[in-house]
Amino acid sequence: MKFKPADKIQDLQYFGEFGGVNPSISDSSTYTFLSAKTMFDTFEGNAEGCYLYSRHSSPSNLYLGEALAAMEGTEAANVAASGMGAITPALLQLCQAGDHIVSSRTIYGGTYAFLKNFAPRLDIKTSFVDITDLDKVEAAITPSTKVLYCEAVSNPLLEVADIAKLSEIAKKHNLQLVVDNTFSPLAISPKELGADVVIHSLTKFINGSSDTVGGVTCGTQDFINALRSVNDGANMLLGPTMDSLRAASILKNLRTLHIRIKQHSKNALYLAEKFEADGLRTVYPGLKSHPSHELYKSMMNEEYGFGGMLVVDAGSLDKANELMELMQQKNLGYLAVSLGFYKTLFSAPGTSTSSEIPEDEQKEMGLTDGIIRFSIGLDNDIERTYEMMHSCMKELNIL
Ligand SMILES: Cc1ncc(COP(=O)(O)O)c(C=O)c1O
């Protein structure tokens, strides 16, 4: 039977402390014990249902984690203060000094910077590969490799990872396949396709209101327990803990995610088809011209479409900048990084979110100067939006 992530969220039932339909927010950093023995047992990890200290876990964070684990079909999940606060501890939990990671080269700039510049300080090295070339992926694996890392749909070039095939490679070489699913929540279910660990920046579509940063790691109960271990758990010891008030507000936003994703995808597909017909180089997994269109189709939970992210080449950085400024003036969206907001957001990734990637590597991966990354909003009348964007492009001689 096909996995239905929104049903999994719908089916969760909460009875708050006072019968509220939303669970009560746990506004405590520490918790009392009626017996000293239970406190000892909790430290030892043996007291199910007891809370100790909120850096370890708190009721509100567990509620959100439970919902996200349900969405991804994993046994458990651990929420964190940001997407990077989920990614870096997960990788540090899986790797130690001397280990090696094989990573897609088209990933979020912060993750790239961590792997390229920070992890080597701990003697964890990374080989960056074209994730769509499975032979290259396998060739990069060494006896020290522990992790295969990718984004389901990559930032910013919207490359699609063949998660099932990558999972076969990972299993063959005894690696953990870690997939960042930030760009494609609900639409792609990496665990169902064979991923071991699924990560999200909640900052983006899942929260959807650009009012907080947040992250989550979804995996087996054993792995989530390991991240939280008081002795050697990377989340527990590095301390990127989400605040309970935020966990409660993200949980409420999660409940409308299915409706939002459908609208983001519908709007993005409409614009992608129009821009491509206008003759602009347009990258969108929903277009037949996208090299991984069929692959995405084979992996997707159909009703959620091809996502809200869209890339257009305005020809040059100057043109891209002029267009973004004009679109902002005309109230078509905001010149801002990040994604998943109700209004369209646009940025030039080469000079912003992917600026950590050296220029020659950007060129090699097709990240040209004129590229604008759009996170398409929830506009009710997308034809009107298109007409206005089209006239901005005409005014600037991009069309
Ligand atoms: C794909 C992806 N993963 C992870 C992150 C990092 O998330 P955060 O900014 O919440 O730390 C981002 C942020 O832009 C992202 O786009």
Side-chain angles (χ1 to χ4, degrees), residues 2 8 15 61 75 80 210 278 290-291 322 350 365 380 392:
K2 189 101 179 101
K8 301 279 177 193
F15 293 102
N61 287 13
E75 285 173 13
S210 291
D278 285 337
H290 190 288
E322 282 176 50
M365 58 178 75
N380 188 49
C392 291

Side-chain angles (χ1 to χ4, degrees), residues 82-85 87 108 111 151 155 180 182-183 201-204 213-214 338-339 353 373:
S82 69
M84 290 307 291
I87 292 167
Y108 168 58
T111 313
E151 295 175 3
N155 184 10
D180 178 336
T182 300
F183 276 33
S201 165
L202 302 176
T203 314
K204 314 293 159 52
V213 288
S338 201
L339 37 136
T353 49
R373 184 187 80 174

